[in-house]
Amino acid sequence: MLKKSPGVWTQSTERIFLLVMIAIMIFSVGLEPASLCAAESSFWRSDYQSALSDAKAQKKLLLLHFYADWCMPCKRMDRETLYSSELTNQFGDKVIAVKINGEHHPDLMQKFGVQSYPTDVFVTPEERIESTSSNFMPINDYLKLVSKVESNFSRIQWIQRMREKAEEEKTLKVEVAEEKQIFKLVDVEQTPLALDGYCPVTLENDKSWVKGTEEFAYEHKGFRYFFTSAEQLASFKKYPDKYSPRLLGCDPVEMWEKDKAIYGTTRFGAYYNGDLYLFASDFNRQIFKENPVKYTHTRHVQRIDEIEISMLK
């Protein structure tokens, strides 16, 4: 009878090895990938109120991922997208992410208008919705979406910081205030000149910037308009809203971001869906071009005394 050497691979040893491997495979398959990933990642939170408090304190964007336990696309996003190291590395210090089981939080579902799973909602620290996306999204598309929304949010935050800094400097250096862009409330008795004197009818019909004259002047909603001819004036009187700039010429970005009606300038004008919008700066015009739908769905200025006009033309 042959003796078994300690280093010999026997049939019994092989059987034990196979049983161990099968047990490991069964255990691995039965374990939820999301659970494994969750143990390795601190990117996703589960407490919305705590995340909101941190977002306010750190002035960061909130990324809310709504899911349900029975949702197969949600499970696929867990496996292929949400716990990707790329997502954590790129946005771990830029956004505060929260996974929300919609069936456990119907109040948040209703609050943010979520109607299907999975749905991602981007929210400001003031709980204003910046963007929404539904259905499964692969990692590359998801990274592009988060990057786009976060970049726009960061740009707006930068604008606000620059404005706050400018306000502080203006308070500390009153003697050089005339060198900065100063805003003051419009005196309704002054009847400000709309479009810097350019004829609105020629602009609308021919997309041509032609100055009108005082000979053909007309007042509409607290503004004075100049026209190039009596015919142009007659056309304006017949359809004033068609030829007037949107929001009475107020900057839609300023109105949305700061809830202020600040009059724009013809130097920074832009057309969207055939309508003319005026902006207080080229920076605001570029912000508008990135997401015009967001800034055109805002309230309309109704009175001239609601408007602030830039004295820097």
Side-chain angles (χ1 to χ4, degrees), residues 66-308:
F66 287 86
Y67 72 97
D69 293 333
W70 48 262
C71 169
M72 296 309 294
C74 300
K75 294 180 181 294
R76 185 183 172 192
M77 280 198 75
D78 273 351
R79 293 193 303 269
E80 302 178 18
T81 303
L82 299 186
Y83 295 97
S84 166
S85 59
E86 296 174 273
L87 181 64
T88 303
N89 293 338
Q90 290 187 37
F91 303 105
D93 59 347
K94 294 182 179 180
V95 303
I96 295 180
V98 190
K99 284 188 67 179
I100 301 173
N101 189 321
E103 295 192 321
H104 297 168
H105 298 280
D107 55 326
L108 295 178
M109 291 276 289
Q110 182 178 7
K111 183 173 186 175
F112 296 113
V114 177
Q115 298 180 350
S116 63
Y117 303 109
T119 290
D120 291 278
V121 183
F122 296 86
V123 182
T124 69
E126 296 76 32
E127 296 187 287
R128 187 168 64 200
I129 297 175
E130 287 289 293
S131 182
T132 301
S133 176
S134 299
N135 300 321
F136 169 82
M137 189 173 292
I139 181 60
N140 288 337
D141 292 342
Y142 199 69
L143 290 173
K144 291 178 182 177
L145 172 65
V146 179
S147 178
K148 179 180 179 181
V149 180
E150 194 282 327
S151 295
N152 185 64
F153 172 78
S154 296
R155 188 179 296 108
I156 297 300
Q157 292 292 101
W158 179 83
I159 293 174
Q160 291 177 346
R161 288 195 298 271
M162 291 302 100
R163 285 172 177 157
E164 291 172 359
K165 183 178 179 180
E167 287 298 321
E168 292 175 0
E169 292 178 351
K170 186 170 62 176
T171 301
L172 296 174
K173 301 178 181 179
V174 180
E175 66 278 7
V176 294
E178 67 275 6
E179 297 178 4
K180 302 176 183 179
Q181 190 169 347
I182 305 171
F183 297 99
K184 72 173 186 178
L185 287 175
V186 173
D187 183 347
V188 295
E189 295 180 358
Q190 293 178 353
T191 313
L193 182 63
L195 294 173
D196 298 328
Y198 288 101
C199 176
V201 179
T202 303
L203 184 58
E204 172 67 22
N205 294 340
D206 305 329
K207 299 299 183 288
S208 178
W209 295 87
V210 180
K211 289 277 190 177
T213 65
E214 290 192 47
E215 180 182 0
F216 306 109
Y218 181 71
E219 185 173 329
H220 175 67
K221 291 186 177 180
F223 285 91
R224 247 184 337 143
Y225 290 85
F226 286 173
F227 303 89
T228 56
S229 68
E231 290 76 16
Q232 304 286 51
L233 173 57
S235 296
F236 183 88
K237 288 182 177 180
K238 189 174 182 179
Y239 303 107
D241 291 334
K242 173 184 177 181
Y243 296 111
S244 302
R246 298 304 90 189
L247 306 176
L248 290 183
C250 294
D251 187 325
V253 177
E254 294 283 348
M255 186 174 294
W256 178 270
E257 301 298 341
K258 298 187 68 175
D259 198 27
K260 279 190 174 182
I262 296 178
Y263 198 67
T265 170
T266 54
R267 286 189 299 167
F268 308 119
Y271 276 92
Y272 176 69
N273 282 345
D275 295 326
L276 175 64
Y277 291 85
L278 301 180
F279 303 88
S281 67
D282 184 58
F283 195 86
N284 280 7
R285 179 169 59 180
Q286 296 305 319
I287 293 292
F288 176 86
K289 287 182 178 180
E290 291 185 8
N291 192 357
V293 175
K294 171 182 176 179
Y295 296 110
T296 52
H297 286 68
T298 185
R299 72 179 184 88
H300 286 251
V301 180
Q302 300 297 332
R303 304 192 314 273
I304 185 64
D305 57 1
E306 291 181 333
I307 301 176
E308 296 180 3

Side-chain angles (χ1 to χ4, degrees), residues 30-41:
L31 194 61
E32 283 290 337
S35 300
L36 289 172
C37 296
E40 300 171 358
S41 173

